[in-house]
């Protein structure tokens, strides 16, 4: 059994991993994130000829594995993959916006804990706020407070910021996260008691795909799982 085969036996779809291989252009790339689908055997170009390889799709949970920006190709003599500790909301990074996971693939924007502008002279994050990062135009990005929709900072692709992963079970500081498709609480349909106090869209964003029967899927902010559907008349139906 090769080293690569042994490594692949230790991972499964849904695991948080780090892999080094090549991207779709043949350039060396290292990706860290959720393994979005089972490993796939492929034929890929390496060293001027087609070789047996394994394709991994790695990115932000909930990302469509067909997006080529998630593809990482591993060859028996080049590349590795290993399970990695998933960062928590207290694992702060001071780095360029381009390094925030999901920035190249999330059409609805990426939600993070935002700690202000970074850079070499910034030694620690400011008071954190749950924020959504969205592309505006001409290479500019707005970082907006999820609760108030206030623009906290407008930055470029390579601007350094302080960021940490958004909490999986919180929306930050006890405040519900705002969403442009948010349904007022009084208009929400009845839900089971265990879910009655949870905001219907406070912990998710809308999928880009339309569901023909139930409506538009609502995905959890970080795990990407379906937590319910938004019907055509603007009502939220929680998943069973």
């Amino acid at each position: 059994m090769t080293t690569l085969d042994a490594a692949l036996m230790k991972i499964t779809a849904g695991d948080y991993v780090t892999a080094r291989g090549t991207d779709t252009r043949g350039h060396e790339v290292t990706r860290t994130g959720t393994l979005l689908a089972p490993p796939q055997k492929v034929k890929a170009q390496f060293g001027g000829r087609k070789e047996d390889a394994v394709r991994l799709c790695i990115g932000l949970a909930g990302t469509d594995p067909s997006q080529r920006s998630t593809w990482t190709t591993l060859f028996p003599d080049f590349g590795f993959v290993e399970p990695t500790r998933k960062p928590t909301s207290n694992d702060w990074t001071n780095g360029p916006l381009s390094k925030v996971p999901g920035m190249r693939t999330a059409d609805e924007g990426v939600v993070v804990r935002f700690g202000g502008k970074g850079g070499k002279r910034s030694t620690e994050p400011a008071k954190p706020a749950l924020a959504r990062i969205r592309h505006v135009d001409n290479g500019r990005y707005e970082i907006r407070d999820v609760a108030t929709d206030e623009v906290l900072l407008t930055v470029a692709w390579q601007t350094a910021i302080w960021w940490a992963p958004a909490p999986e079970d919180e929306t930050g500081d006890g405040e519900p996260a705002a969403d442009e498709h948010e349904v007022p609480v009084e208009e929400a349909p009845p839900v089971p008691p265990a879910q009655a106090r949870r905001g219907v869209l406070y912990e998710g964003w809308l999928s880009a795909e339309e569901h023909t029967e139930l409506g538009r899927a609502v995905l959890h902010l970080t795990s990407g799982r379906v937590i319910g559907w938004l019907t055509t008349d603007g009502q939220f139906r929680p998943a069973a």
Side-chain angles (χ1 to χ4, degrees):
M1 180 181 298
T2 67
T3 302
L4 179 57
D5 289 335
L8 292 171
M9 291 183 64
K10 298 178 181 179
I11 61 173
T12 186
D15 288 350
Y16 201 82
V17 301
T18 293
R20 180 173 64 88
T22 64
D23 61 13
T24 55
R25 299 168 298 174
H27 297 164
E28 182 176 338
V29 64
T30 298
R31 302 194 201 279
T32 296
T34 299
L35 184 62
L36 303 169
Q40 178 184 0
K41 293 184 178 180
V42 296
K43 285 280 189 178
Q45 196 78 14
F46 185 70
R49 60 183 181 180
K50 289 283 188 178
E51 298 279 358
D52 290 329
V54 175
R55 175 179 298 154
L56 304 181
C57 301
I58 299 171
L60 191 68
T63 302
D64 187 343
S66 67
Q67 296 200 36
R68 297 170 69 88
S69 57
T70 71
W71 292 4
T72 310
T73 303
L74 279 60
F75 299 87
D77 297 325
F78 178 79
F80 75 90
V81 60
E82 61 185 7
T84 303
R85 182 183 72 86
K86 187 174 183 179
T88 71
S89 57
N90 291 318
D91 290 328
W92 286 98
T93 296
N94 178 357
L97 179 77
S98 60
K99 298 299 184 181
V100 176
M103 284 304 303
R104 295 182 182 275
T105 57
D107 295 333
E108 295 291 330
V110 174
V111 175
V112 298
R113 287 186 81 200
F114 174 62
K117 191 172 182 179
K120 294 181 179 179
R121 296 184 179 181
S122 180
T123 58
E124 62 182 17
K127 181 179 179 181
L130 196 71
R132 188 185 301 277
I133 309 173
R134 279 199 180 105
H135 180 254
V136 185
D137 55 30
N138 298 323
R140 306 296 290 177
Y141 294 79
E142 285 184 348
I143 303 177
R144 290 180 173 267
D145 189 298
V146 170
T148 66
D149 204 36
E150 174 189 0
V151 177
L152 303 175
L153 189 66
T154 300
V155 297
W157 187 240
Q158 291 299 328
T159 300
I161 64 170
W162 281 100
W163 67 274
E168 293 190 6
D169 300 317
E170 301 176 12
T171 55
D173 300 329
E175 295 293 331
D179 191 287
E180 59 184 355
H181 303 286
E182 183 178 321
V183 180
V185 174
E186 61 271 19
E187 295 180 11
V191 294
Q195 302 180 30
R197 297 187 64 186
R198 300 188 70 87
V200 293
L201 292 185
Y202 295 158
E203 59 177 311
W205 55 44
L206 293 176
S207 167
E209 298 181 0
E210 191 77 18
H211 194 294
T212 56
E213 297 180 357
L214 299 177
R216 197 170 174 185
V218 180
L219 309 178
H220 191 276
L221 283 174
T222 53
S223 70
R225 69 178 185 278
V226 175
I227 61 173
W229 293 268
L230 187 67
T231 63
T232 55
D233 59 355
Q235 299 296 307
F236 177 76
R237 297 183 59 182

